[in-house]
Amino acid sequence: MINYSEMEDRLGVPIGVEEARSRWGALVGAAGEGQITLITRERWEWAALVPLSKVPGMLTGLPVVSLSTAKAKLGELVRQVSEPYDDSPVLLARHRTPVAALIAATRLLGPGSGERAAPPGTPDVETLLRDGCTVTLSRHPTGSGVIAVARDGDGGEVAVGVGDTAEQALRTLG
Protein backbone atom coordinates (compact mmCIF):
# COMPACT_ATOMS: atom_id res chain seq x y z
CA MET A 1 0.00 0.00 0.00
CA ILE A 2 1.30 3.44 -0.92
CA ASN A 3 1.57 5.90 1.97
CA TYR A 4 0.88 9.27 0.34
CA SER A 5 1.42 11.31 3.50
CA GLU A 6 4.83 9.68 3.89
CA MET A 7 5.70 10.60 0.30
CA GLU A 8 4.65 14.20 0.99
CA ASP A 9 6.73 14.25 4.17
CA ARG A 10 9.82 12.99 2.35
CA LEU A 11 9.52 14.48 -1.14
CA GLY A 12 7.31 17.55 -0.76
CA VAL A 13 3.74 18.38 -1.65
CA PRO A 14 2.78 17.38 -5.19
CA ILE A 15 1.24 19.78 -7.66
CA GLY A 16 -1.76 18.94 -9.79
CA VAL A 17 -1.57 18.23 -13.51
CA GLU A 18 -3.12 21.60 -14.48
CA GLU A 19 -0.65 23.56 -12.34
CA ALA A 20 2.21 21.52 -13.78
CA ARG A 21 0.99 22.36 -17.30
CA SER A 22 0.91 26.06 -16.50
CA ARG A 23 4.50 25.95 -15.20
CA TRP A 24 5.76 23.27 -17.61
CA GLY A 25 8.76 25.14 -19.01
CA ALA A 26 10.06 26.11 -15.57
CA LEU A 27 9.53 22.60 -14.16
CA VAL A 28 11.37 20.95 -17.06
CA GLY A 29 14.20 23.47 -16.67
CA ALA A 30 14.37 22.71 -12.95
CA ALA A 31 14.53 18.98 -13.71
CA GLY A 32 17.48 19.71 -15.98
CA GLU A 33 19.14 21.36 -12.98
CA GLY A 34 18.60 18.27 -10.82
CA GLN A 35 15.34 19.16 -9.11
CA ILE A 36 12.45 16.76 -8.61
CA THR A 37 8.79 17.76 -8.83
CA LEU A 38 5.92 15.54 -7.74
CA ILE A 39 2.84 15.69 -9.97
CA THR A 40 -0.47 14.13 -9.02
CA ARG A 41 -3.66 13.22 -10.83
CA GLU A 42 -6.77 12.23 -8.89
CA ARG A 43 -4.68 12.55 -5.67
CA TRP A 44 -3.74 8.86 -5.86
CA GLU A 45 -1.77 8.75 -9.10
CA TRP A 46 1.65 10.25 -8.38
CA ALA A 47 4.53 10.78 -10.77
CA ALA A 48 7.84 12.58 -10.40
CA LEU A 49 9.39 14.86 -13.02
CA VAL A 50 13.07 14.05 -12.59
CA PRO A 51 16.48 14.60 -14.20
CA LEU A 52 17.67 11.74 -16.40
CA SER A 53 20.19 10.74 -13.73
CA LYS A 54 17.27 9.58 -11.53
CA VAL A 55 15.87 7.15 -14.10
CA PRO A 56 16.63 3.64 -12.87
CA GLY A 57 18.24 1.22 -15.29
CA MET A 58 19.13 1.82 -18.89
CA LEU A 59 17.43 4.54 -20.93
CA THR A 60 17.56 2.52 -24.14
CA GLY A 61 14.17 1.22 -25.17
CA LEU A 62 12.12 3.50 -22.92
CA PRO A 63 9.25 5.43 -24.52
CA VAL A 64 10.18 8.97 -25.61
CA VAL A 65 7.65 11.80 -25.80
CA SER A 66 8.29 15.37 -26.98
CA LEU A 67 7.92 18.09 -24.34
CA SER A 68 5.00 19.69 -26.17
CA THR A 69 3.14 16.37 -26.46
CA ALA A 70 3.93 15.60 -22.80
CA LYS A 71 2.46 18.94 -21.72
CA ALA A 72 -0.73 18.29 -23.68
CA LYS A 73 -1.06 14.70 -22.43
CA LEU A 74 0.40 15.17 -18.95
CA GLY A 75 -2.57 13.64 -17.15
CA GLU A 76 -2.37 10.50 -19.28
CA LEU A 77 1.39 10.24 -18.76
CA VAL A 78 1.07 10.63 -14.98
CA ARG A 79 -1.48 7.82 -14.99
CA GLN A 80 0.76 5.70 -17.25
CA VAL A 81 3.86 5.87 -15.04
CA SER A 82 2.06 5.70 -11.67
CA GLU A 83 1.87 2.61 -9.56
CA PRO A 84 0.01 0.25 -9.53
CA TYR A 85 0.05 0.51 -13.30
CA ASP A 86 3.01 -0.18 -15.55
CA ASP A 87 5.32 2.28 -13.71
CA SER A 88 7.87 2.27 -16.55
CA PRO A 89 9.60 5.65 -16.95
CA VAL A 90 8.80 7.91 -19.88
CA LEU A 91 11.59 10.07 -21.29
CA LEU A 92 10.77 13.66 -22.24
CA ALA A 93 12.62 15.06 -25.22
CA ARG A 94 13.44 18.43 -26.71
CA HIS A 95 14.33 18.18 -30.40
CA ARG A 96 14.50 14.37 -30.06
CA THR A 97 17.05 14.59 -27.23
CA PRO A 98 15.88 13.34 -23.80
CA VAL A 99 16.11 16.11 -21.18
CA ALA A 100 14.02 14.78 -18.27
CA ALA A 101 11.71 11.91 -17.36
CA LEU A 102 8.47 11.07 -15.64
CA ILE A 103 8.71 8.15 -13.22
CA ALA A 104 6.47 6.66 -10.54
CA ALA A 105 6.94 8.80 -7.43
CA THR A 106 7.26 5.66 -5.33
CA ARG A 107 10.56 4.87 -7.09
CA LEU A 108 12.07 7.76 -5.11
CA LEU A 109 11.36 6.08 -1.79
CA GLY A 110 13.54 3.41 -0.29
CA PRO A 111 12.00 0.07 0.67
CA GLY A 112 10.33 0.31 4.06
CA SER A 113 12.22 3.34 5.29
CA GLY A 114 10.27 6.05 3.52
CA GLU A 115 13.55 7.61 2.43
CA ARG A 116 14.64 7.93 -1.15
CA ALA A 117 16.70 4.97 -2.16
CA ALA A 118 20.35 5.85 -2.65
CA PRO A 119 22.45 3.62 -4.85
CA PRO A 120 24.75 1.25 -2.97
CA GLY A 121 28.10 2.78 -2.13
CA THR A 122 26.83 6.37 -2.48
CA PRO A 123 29.21 8.76 -0.71
CA ASP A 124 27.97 11.07 2.04
CA VAL A 125 28.12 14.88 1.89
CA GLU A 126 31.49 15.08 3.65
CA THR A 127 33.04 12.68 1.14
CA LEU A 128 31.59 14.61 -1.79
CA LEU A 129 33.06 17.87 -0.44
CA ARG A 130 36.46 16.26 0.22
CA ASP A 131 36.44 15.01 -3.37
CA GLY A 132 36.06 18.57 -4.64
CA CYS A 133 32.33 18.63 -5.31
CA THR A 134 30.18 21.70 -4.76
CA VAL A 135 26.87 21.17 -2.96
CA THR A 136 24.11 23.74 -3.47
CA LEU A 137 20.76 24.00 -1.73
CA SER A 138 17.66 25.52 -3.28
CA ARG A 139 13.96 25.71 -2.61
CA HIS A 140 11.90 23.10 -4.48
CA PRO A 141 10.03 24.66 -7.44
CA THR A 142 6.71 23.90 -5.74
CA GLY A 143 7.77 26.09 -2.82
CA SER A 144 7.78 23.25 -0.31
CA GLY A 145 10.94 21.36 0.41
CA VAL A 146 14.62 21.72 -0.35
CA ILE A 147 16.78 20.29 -3.13
CA ALA A 148 20.51 19.55 -2.62
CA VAL A 149 22.61 19.14 -5.77
CA ALA A 150 26.25 17.98 -5.76
CA ARG A 151 28.34 18.85 -8.83
CA ASP A 152 31.89 17.85 -9.69
CA GLY A 153 34.63 20.31 -10.70
CA ASP A 154 33.43 20.29 -14.32
CA GLY A 155 29.84 21.14 -13.29
CA GLY A 156 28.47 17.65 -13.91
CA GLU A 157 25.72 16.45 -11.61
CA VAL A 158 26.99 13.85 -9.17
CA ALA A 159 24.09 13.50 -6.73
CA VAL A 160 20.70 15.00 -5.83
CA GLY A 161 18.84 14.96 -2.52
CA VAL A 162 15.31 16.09 -1.60
CA GLY A 163 13.72 16.80 1.76
CA ASP A 164 11.47 19.10 3.75
CA THR A 165 14.53 20.69 5.35
CA ALA A 166 18.10 21.33 4.27
CA GLU A 167 19.22 18.60 6.69
CA GLN A 168 16.90 16.02 5.08
CA ALA A 169 17.96 17.05 1.57
CA LEU A 170 21.63 16.66 2.50
CA ARG A 171 20.96 13.32 4.21
CA THR A 172 19.23 11.93 1.10
CA LEU A 173 21.94 13.22 -1.24
CA GLY A 174 22.86 10.21 -3.28
Side-chain angles (χ1 to χ4, degrees):
M1 188 74 173
I2 299 169
N3 185 338
Y4 296 103
S5 61
E6 182 179 348
M7 277 201 300
E8 273 188 20
D9 291 346
R10 301 296 181 180
L11 302 170
V13 177
I15 60 175
V17 169
E18 290 307 316
E19 183 179 348
R21 276 193 189 115
S22 70
R23 299 174 38 203
W24 189 241
L27 295 175
V28 170
E33 294 294 317
Q35 296 183 14
I36 297 168
T37 303
L38 295 178
I39 303 172
T40 185
R41 174 187 162 137
E42 308 290 335
R43 289 295 300 160
W44 56 271
E45 296 170 325
W46 289 38
L49 177 62
V50 299
L52 294 175
S53 62
K54 294 296 174 198
V55 178
M58 295 183 57
L59 301 182
T60 306
L62 292 176
V64 179
V65 177
S66 73
L67 289 172
S68 58
T69 300
K71 181 179 179 182
K73 296 184 175 196
L74 189 56
E76 293 172 38
L77 291 173
V78 167
R79 174 168 280 166
Q80 178 181 329
V81 303
S82 298
E83 284 187 358
Y85 306 113
D86 179 17
D87 92 345
S88 294
V90 172
L91 302 179
L92 307 174
R94 179 180 293 121
H95 305 294
R96 297 187 183 133
T97 302
V99 294
L102 277 173
I103 64 171
T106 53
R107 287 181 173 251
L108 298 174
L109 297 176
S113 70
E115 297 261 345
R116 230 179 87 247
T122 300
D124 64 3
V125 176
E126 295 295 328
T127 303
L128 290 168
L129 292 171
R130 268 194 307 273
D131 291 346
C133 290
T134 301
V135 178
T136 57
L137 297 171
S138 61
R139 171 100 16 238
H140 193 282
T142 64
S144 64
V146 177
I147 307 284
V149 179
R151 297 190 183 278
D152 62 20
D154 296 328
E157 183 182 293
V158 175
V160 176
V162 180
D164 290 333
T165 65
E167 181 182 342
Q168 287 177 341
L170 290 170
R171 189 174 57 241
T172 63
L173 197 62

